[in-house]
Amino acid sequence: MRRLDSKSLELADVGRPAGAGAARAGRIALTLSGGIVLLLLWQACVAWLGVPPYILPAPAKVLAALWSGLAVPVTSPTGFYLPLASTFANAAWGFAIGAILGIAVGSLMAEFRAVETVLMPYAFAFQVLPKVAIAPLIVIWFGFGNGSKVAMAALLAFFPLMVNSFTGIRTADQERLDLLRALSASRLETYRVVKLPSAAPYIFAGLDMGMVYAILGTIVAEFLGAQQGIGVAIVQAQAVTDVASVFAALILLGAVGIALHLTIRLCERRIVHWTVRQDT
Amino acid sequence: MTTAPAVAAPRAPLIAAKGVAKTYRAVDGSAIDALAAFDLAVDDGDFVCIVGPSGCGKSTVLRLVAGLTEPSAGRLSLGGRRIDGASPEIGVVFQSATLLPWFTVRDNMRLPLRVGGQRVAGDARVRELLAMTGLAAFADKYPYELSGGMQQRAAIGRALARDPKVLLMDEPFGALDALTRERMNVELQRIWQMSRKTVILITHSIAESVFLADRVVVMSPRPGRVLREFRVELARPRSFERTPGEPEYLRLTREIRALLDRGAEEEAQ
């Protein structure tokens, strides 16, 4: 794809068939109406079949629960804001730590055969382990406070970044590496100028995955015991069979996930601007 | 008179290859002889084109001179010193422009001044290079915003950044359309006449080699060695309006083509 500057963009707009924008709006409308139909069906099923609310609450109930958690002061102990902030903060710290370590270890493995030989088999052995099963150990080591949540998030975010930065660096273009060699560039210079930027698209794909895993890790650690967080809110709601609140918490988590995904994509487009537009 | 006779002391060539051989190991373990008994001498300021059939080891010659690979046998020297790695006296232009897409044209041209122990701010130098390659208006564009010819011009500018003695070019215009290619040939001639570099240009285009070179070196099919050298005495600056019509140009392209055809036939037998 070629980058469109403002001028060619205007031309493209002029030249575009009049229906193109409408078609896009139509697709969005279709997706939305699909969701609305699903909600209506859900509501209808619950009403007609008499499903008890502790099995499946009606969407209206879920929306009410969501509203009651959101339409409160930010510092309210019954609101969603405090647990959400706690979960988000822990996931973000874990994500940052896991991502930085993952990129560092992936880079070292890609740069030094010896490091690769030593670590790769263990990394893969660890990779196939269902890491959620390690959560109880993490809680034993890091306690019931924020430490275990951050550690779990970091652990889960680490792997996609390690694997992706390793792969990305190894796929750096040979001619570009030759160029740096012809310029007598040092290993660090080559890493900084060619290898890391070459790996950037892979690293962003890893960040996208790692973000989802970091939230997953935090929630799992919260399930095992915590003072605060969305995971705690879910467990507490479950304990009193307030299924509508469980759904509300899930919707909130989904919304946060989408927002973070879009943020990462936005950063990617800004930083790795050449991937979609280059053809050299 | 007691003055010593003016001996025409044979000046040592700037670049010399003597009996150079290069053997690659293929994936299946068999040995591939890319070059065998390759000899070449390039004087300071020469524009030498190396032509040959594809796979004849032309690019290997370039990689050897650039210090990117080591010969299996023989000796290569630059300014009398054995080539044992990359040198700041050599600028390389690769087959594809090999611009770094995350840098602007300006930063791409500045790259040789920032790495490999060079610590030059180089703003003035980069401005010179931008002017020389006619890219001043595109300094802050990214490579993907440039046409293929402009990208290759930027790559030439970058190769000249350290003001090297030698410019090595590996089929630099192979990916361009015929018209752009001719324009780039004229452009390269202009840049060469301005900078007075020693140039070794690898190509498979006979027309390009005769148009550009002082000397055309014709290589045999693999394992590559020099079949014959042709001196090109065409007046400079050469142009595509005039030069291709000159008898000398026609004679040289005919002879080189005949030589390459014979080589291809021998190989086929």
Side-chain angles (χ1 to χ4, degrees):
Chain A
M1 261 185 276
R2 271 255 158 220
R3 179 186 197 166
L4 296 170
D5 55 31
S6 57
K7 202 171 167 193
S8 56
L9 198 63
E10 279 167 31
L11 289 175
D13 274 337
V14 172
R16 182 189 286 172
R24 186 178 149 81
R27 272 202 309 277
I28 292 171
L30 198 63
T31 307
L32 285 178
S33 50
I36 290 167
V37 168
L38 204 69
L39 283 176
L40 288 175
L41 274 176
W42 176 2
Q43 180 83 42
C45 283
V46 170
W48 292 337
L49 303 176
V51 181
Y54 56 85
I55 301 292
L56 183 66
K61 286 245 169 60
V62 172
L63 282 180
L66 190 62
W67 182 248
S68 77
L70 292 176
V72 292
V74 175
T75 51
S76 158
T78 57
F80 278 131
Y81 297 108
L82 287 180
L84 196 62
S86 167
T87 298
F88 179 79
N90 287 335
W93 276 111
F95 174 65
I97 294 168
I100 290 170
L101 287 178
I103 294 170
V105 173
S107 299
L108 287 171
M109 286 204 305
E111 279 292 287
F112 302 101
R113 289 274 168 195
V115 178
E116 186 198 350
T117 312
V118 172
L119 289 187
M120 197 51 112
Y122 299 107
F124 271 106
F126 205 75
Q127 174 81 324
V128 295
L129 204 68
K131 277 165 285 295
V132 170
I134 305 168
L137 264 185
I138 297 286
V139 173
I140 291 172
W141 291 337
F142 291 89
F144 287 102
N146 290 333
S148 58
K149 315 320 175 266
V150 174
M152 198 61 200
L155 185 70
L156 290 199
F158 174 80
F159 280 92
L161 278 144
M162 182 197 75
V163 172
N164 279 33
S165 51
F166 174 80
T167 314
I169 289 170
R170 278 291 165 85
T171 51
D173 178 58
Q174 189 54 47
E175 213 168 47
R176 286 179 189 154
L177 296 176
D178 279 346
L179 167 73
L180 271 279
R181 217 144 68 76
L183 293 173
S184 315
S186 70
R187 186 168 215 154
L188 192 64
E189 283 168 342
T190 307
Y191 175 76
R192 198 164 45 78
V193 172
V194 170
K195 292 186 177 178
L196 196 57
S198 298
Y202 291 81
I203 290 176
F204 269 101
L207 288 174
D208 212 4
M209 260 189 287
M211 180 272 293
V212 174
Y213 287 162
I215 295 176
L216 171 72
T218 307
I219 299 283
V220 166
E222 283 173 356
F223 282 170
L224 291 182
Q227 285 89 42
Q228 215 169 38
I230 289 288
V232 178
I234 290 173
V235 172
Q236 282 171 350
Q238 180 226 22
V240 294
T241 57
D242 178 5
V243 182
S245 289
V246 174
F247 270 96
L250 292 180
I251 289 170
L252 218 52
L253 278 179
V256 169
I258 290 171
L260 289 175
H261 166 75
L262 292 177
T263 309
I264 289 173
R265 287 296 299 273
L266 191 73
C267 293
E268 180 177 7
R269 264 184 225 162
R270 283 282 162 81
I271 297 170
V272 197
H273 56 85
W274 61 89
T275 47
V276 271
R277 298 159 188 168
Q278 71 151 340
D279 45 10
T280 44
Chain B
M1 300 301 261
T2 55
T3 42
V7 181
R11 280 214 308 135
L14 180 64
I15 298 166
K18 264 265 179 307
V20 171
K22 178 72 188 178
T23 307
Y24 287 107
R25 185 94 12 219
V27 187
D28 62 3
S30 63
I32 295 172
D33 294 317
L35 286 180
F38 181 85
D39 295 316
L40 182 71
V42 180
D43 289 326
D44 199 357
D46 256 6
F47 198 129
V48 174
C49 283
I50 300 179
V51 283
S54 35
C56 75
K58 307 188 288 279
S59 294
T60 303
V61 172
L62 188 126
R63 292 181 64 82
L64 285 164
V65 177
L68 292 174
T69 184
E70 302 235 313
S72 310
R75 194 188 135 88
L76 282 136
S77 64
L78 170 70
R81 282 220 305 277
R82 206 176 81 82
I83 295 173
D84 59 355
S87 154
E89 293 297 349
I90 290 180
V92 186
V93 178
F94 294 90
Q95 260 175 52
S96 61
T98 321
L99 298 171
L100 301 178
W102 37 89
F103 285 158
T104 58
V105 170
R106 185 195 304 280
D107 286 339
N108 268 291
M109 284 192 178
R110 202 199 305 269
L111 180 68
L113 307 176
R114 284 173 44 203
V115 301
Q118 312 268 324
R119 284 292 171 273
V120 193
D123 288 334
R125 179 66 185 147
V126 171
R127 266 198 302 279
E128 265 174 49
L129 295 168
L130 285 165
M132 186 191 282
T133 51
L135 291 171
F138 298 90
D140 296 311
K141 298 275 184 205
Y142 286 94
Y144 52 77
E145 298 173 288
L146 268 54
S147 68
M150 283 157 99
Q151 290 181 9
Q152 210 46 272
R153 264 175 13 220
I156 294 170
R158 180 180 60 194
L160 292 172
R162 288 176 179 175
D163 201 14
K165 275 201 166 71
V166 182
L167 195 55
L168 300 179
M169 309 180 84
D170 187 6
E171 298 191 29
F173 311 130
L176 304 178
D177 63 86
L179 209 63
T180 312
R181 187 172 188 153
E182 287 189 357
R183 255 185 239 136
M184 289 302 297
N185 284 345
V186 175
E187 192 74 353
L188 176 60
Q189 173 180 244
R190 183 183 65 78
I191 293 171
W192 174 70
Q193 287 189 309
M194 269 173 82
S195 61
R196 279 327 221 174
K197 302 293 173 205
T198 305
V199 179
I200 300 180
L201 184 141
I202 311 281
T203 179
H204 53 249
S205 159
I206 298 169
E208 184 171 83
S209 71
V210 175
F211 182 83
L212 284 169
D214 295 322
R215 271 196 304 146
V216 178
V217 174
V218 181
M219 284 180 70
S220 69
R222 202 164 59 204
R225 66 200 156 74
V226 176
L227 281 180
R228 212 179 130 189
E229 287 191 22
F230 295 85
R231 188 155 280 282
V232 186
E233 307 280 7
L234 293 160
R236 289 190 193 270
R238 299 170 190 166
S239 78
F240 274 97
E241 291 82 51
R242 211 181 47 245
T243 308
E246 290 186 28
E248 164 89 345
Y249 179 93
L250 294 169
R251 180 182 64 81
L252 282 167
T253 49
R254 199 168 48 235
E255 281 183 30
I256 293 169
R257 176 159 293 119
L259 188 61
L260 284 170
D261 283 349
R262 218 175 312 141
E265 275 161 29
E266 274 165 26
E267 196 189 28
Q269 280 159 15

